[in-house]
Amino acid sequence: MTALSIMLVDDHPIVREGYRRLIERQPGHRVVAEAETAAEAYRLFKSATPDLTVMDLSLPGAGGLEAIRHIRQWDRTARILVFTMHQSAPFALKAFEAGASGYVTKTSPPEELIRAIDTVARGGRALSADIAADLAAERLTRRGGPLDELAPREAEILRMFASGQAAEEIAEALCLSLKTIQNYHSQIKAKLGARTDAHLVWLAIAEGLVLDRREP
Amino acid sequence: MTALSIMLVDDHPIVREGYRRLIERQPGHRVVAEAETAAEAYRLFKSATPDLTVMDLSLPGAGGLEAIRHIRQWDRTARILVFTMHQSAPFALKAFEAGASGYVTKTSPPEELIRAIDTVARGGRALSADIAADLAAERLTRRGGPLDELAPREAEILRMFASGQAAEEIAEALCLSLKTIQNYHSQIKAKLGARTDAHLVWLAIAEGLVLDRREP
DNA sequence: CCGATCCCTGGGAAATCTTCCCGATCGGCC
DNA sequence: GGCCGATCGGGAAGATTTCCCAGGGATCGG
C-alpha cells in the first residue's frame, strides 16, 4: 500500500498547521486536503477521497457531527477520527453515534494522535485515555450523569427546553398537551434536583444534552 | 537589542507546538517557556521573565484572565498577548481590563499573530480584525451585543439568574424585594427578546456574562 | 434652576405557570 | 394474571409572570 492520505478539518488555520507538520513527520502519511467548515469538508471529501479524516467538532456553520453524518452517508466506509478540545464523554458518544471511528482530545500527547490515526486507518477504533476513563467511571458508578435517572421522553423534553424552546412550542412539536409538557418540566426539575430553570440548562449543558457553542 | 523572549501559555501541547514553530520561524523570536495552567504561567513568568507572553484564555484551574491579573500585579510592565479561540468582543474587553495588551483569535491568519506579537513587543496594542469589526459595529449600531441595552443593575441580575440562582436568592443577596427581582426578570426578558428562561441563559452565555466551562 | 430622561425600587391585579395529586392506558416481565 | 414503569393528561391551590403605575435620585442641556 502507498501513502496514507489524510484530510484535516479544523477552523483554525494555525492549529491545522500544527497538525499537518506533526502528521507529515510520520513516514507514509500525507495531508491531501484541509477544510475549515462542515460544508467544505463534505465537498472536499468527495473530490479528495482521503483514506482518513481528522476532524474537529467545533466548526462554523453546521458542526462537526453534521459533517461526519454527511460524509458517512455518502461513503459508509469513511474513516473519521475526531480530534477536539471537548474533554467530554457525552461528546465522544455523540461522535461515535454520528459515525466516527475515533475520538482524541487535544490535551492528549501528540503520540496519542499519531497512534489513533494508525489504529483508525487500519480499521480499528481509538479513544482518548481520559475519555475512556470517564466512560468507565460512568459505567462503574452507574451515575456519571444524573441523566440516567431520566426516561427517554424526559430527556428529550429537557433537551428541547434547555435549547430555549417554550413549553407551548415543545407541546406542538411533539403533539402533546401543554399540560403534559408542564408536568414533565416539573418532574425533570425534581428528578435532577434543579431549583431553577437556569440550573436545568446548566445540567443539560454539563451532560452534553445540548451543546454550548455552535454544535458538534 | 537581542532576541525577543516569549512565553507560551496554552493547555494543548499540540497547539503550543504549532505556535512555537510558527513563532520561531521569525528571526529574533525565541520561545523561552511554555505553561499549561494559570498557576504554572505565573510561576514560570517570574523565573523566565519573558519580554512577551502569548496566552490562551481557556486554561484548566484558574482561567487565563486570572493569570493575566496575577502576572500584571507582579509586573505592571508585562506585555501579554491573548491568543484564543473566543471570537467574542466581550471576552476581548475582559482581557484588556485584566491587563492584556493584545487580543488575537485563533481564526486569524498566522501573519496576524506575528504582526500582533511585534506590535505588542514594541509597546503597542493589537486587536484581531474580526473583533475590531465587532466592537466597531457595536459602537455604530449601538447593539452588537444585546447587553448594551441593559442597565448595570439589569446585567447584574441577569448574570446571577443565568448562573442558576433563584429569584429569592438574588433578592436576598442584593437586599432587594423579591418583587423587584421579578420585575427585573420580566423586563430583561422583554429587552433581550427572550421568550424563555433557557433562552436567557444562552444569551448570557453568548455575551460572556456567564462562562460555560471554567472561566476565561 | 427646571424640565426631561433614565435608573432603581416596589405595589397591585390579572393572567399564566408550577406543583402535587390523581386516574388512565399500554407494554414488559415474573 | 399481576405488577411495574413509562407515557399522557385533568384539577386545584399556590407561586410566578406580566403589565401598569409611581416616587425618589442622578444627570444633563438649556
Side-chain angles (χ1 to χ4, degrees), chain B residues 114-163:
Chain B
I114 297 297
R115 215 177 326 119
I117 286 177
D118 291 338
T119 302
V120 170
R122 214 175 281 116
R125 284 174 169 269
L127 184 58
S128 257
D130 41 6
I131 298 288
D134 277 355
L135 287 177
E138 221 170 274
R139 295 289 170 264
L140 287 177
T141 62
R142 184 90 346 222
R143 27 85 58 205
L147 294 205
D148 295 1
E149 311 276 278
L150 268 52
R153 200 57 156 175
E154 292 170 336
E156 182 177 18
I157 289 169
L158 170 58
R159 186 169 45 72
M160 298 178 77
F161 168 78
S163 68

Side-chain angles (χ1 to χ4, degrees), chain B residues 22-78:
Chain B
L22 175 71
I23 290 173
E24 298 201 326
R25 206 161 50 189
Q26 307 302 313
H29 292 56
R30 266 182 45 235
V31 174
V32 297
E34 295 188 19
E36 294 209 339
T37 68
E40 194 183 0
Y42 182 50
R43 202 172 49 241
L44 270 180
F45 182 87
K46 292 197 287 188
S47 61
T49 58
D51 298 319
L52 183 147
T53 302
V54 176
M55 164 139 12
D56 193 358
L57 286 186
S58 311
L59 299 178
L65 287 191
E66 209 43 57
I68 295 175
R69 290 195 202 94
H70 268 97
I71 291 175
R72 291 276 300 183
Q73 202 167 346
W74 193 75
D75 175 5
R76 297 311 308 266
T77 71

Side-chain angles (χ1 to χ4, degrees), chain B residues 151 153 177 179-180 183-184:
Chain B
R153 200 57 156 175
S177 157
K179 192 68 212 303
T180 300
N183 280 339
Y184 270 120

